Amino acid sequence: MISGLVQLFLWQGLGELLSKFFLPGIPGPVLGLLLLLAFLCLRKQVDSDLALVADSFRQHLGLLFVPASVGVLLFLPELQTHALAVSTALLVSVILTIAVTALVLKVFWYFSLKRNKHITMHKGHRHE
């Protein structure tokens, strides 16, 4: 498990360095996560220690909502004052998120069908 944590911290540190010196507009942890994702895609497997740490984090993901809930309660008077603006922003962001997700799914589905059709065509023309 320690090895998995070290791997995560190394990728986060690499992301922080990349953010500090080359891409200051993107947070370091986000860059580190993207680098880790690219590495795992190239490697096509996940180390068992890293998988163990990821599963542990996933099991306790609900704890990450506690600070957000406390923040909402702390700023409740301000949120009540700007309730219309906050509600509008939330509604628009949810609608846009659903629309973009549907569009991305449609693009992936199109390329998946195209790829499967290409594979099927090549299997049909095989001479053995």
Side-chain angles (χ1 to χ4, degrees):
M1 183 146 181
I2 299 295
S3 173
L5 281 171
V6 169
Q7 289 177 47
L8 284 179
F9 288 137
L10 286 174
W11 285 109
Q12 182 178 356
L14 189 60
E16 290 286 353
L17 288 172
L18 194 62
S19 173
K20 178 76 173 172
F21 295 111
F22 299 108
L23 299 166
I26 304 174
V30 173
L31 288 173
L33 186 62
L34 290 173
L35 290 171
L36 175 61
L37 178 65
F39 173 74
L40 292 175
C41 286
L42 289 173
R43 194 168 170 213
K44 296 185 180 174
Q45 70 178 22
V46 178
D47 184 40
S48 62
D49 289 334
L50 187 60
L52 181 64
V53 171
D55 285 340
S56 298
F57 281 152
R58 185 183 46 81
Q59 289 173 356
H60 303 291
L61 204 56
L63 292 175
L64 296 176
F65 291 106
V66 172
S69 302
V70 171
V72 166
L73 292 177
L74 183 64
F75 292 104
L76 193 58
E78 287 84 359
L79 287 173
Q80 288 173 337
T81 303
H82 304 290
L84 181 63
V86 170
S87 299
T88 303
L90 284 171
L91 183 66
V92 170
S93 67
V94 166
I95 291 170
L96 284 175
T97 300
I98 292 171
V100 169
T101 302
L103 182 64
V104 168
L105 182 61
K106 189 174 182 178
V107 168
F108 280 137
W109 183 58
Y110 171 77
F111 283 116
S112 174
L113 286 177
K114 190 174 177 181
R115 181 175 180 261
N116 288 340
K117 183 188 276 187
H118 180 70
I119 290 171
T120 306
M121 287 175 55
H122 285 300
K123 284 183 180 178
H125 295 294
R126 184 181 289 173
H127 297 286
E128 293 182 12

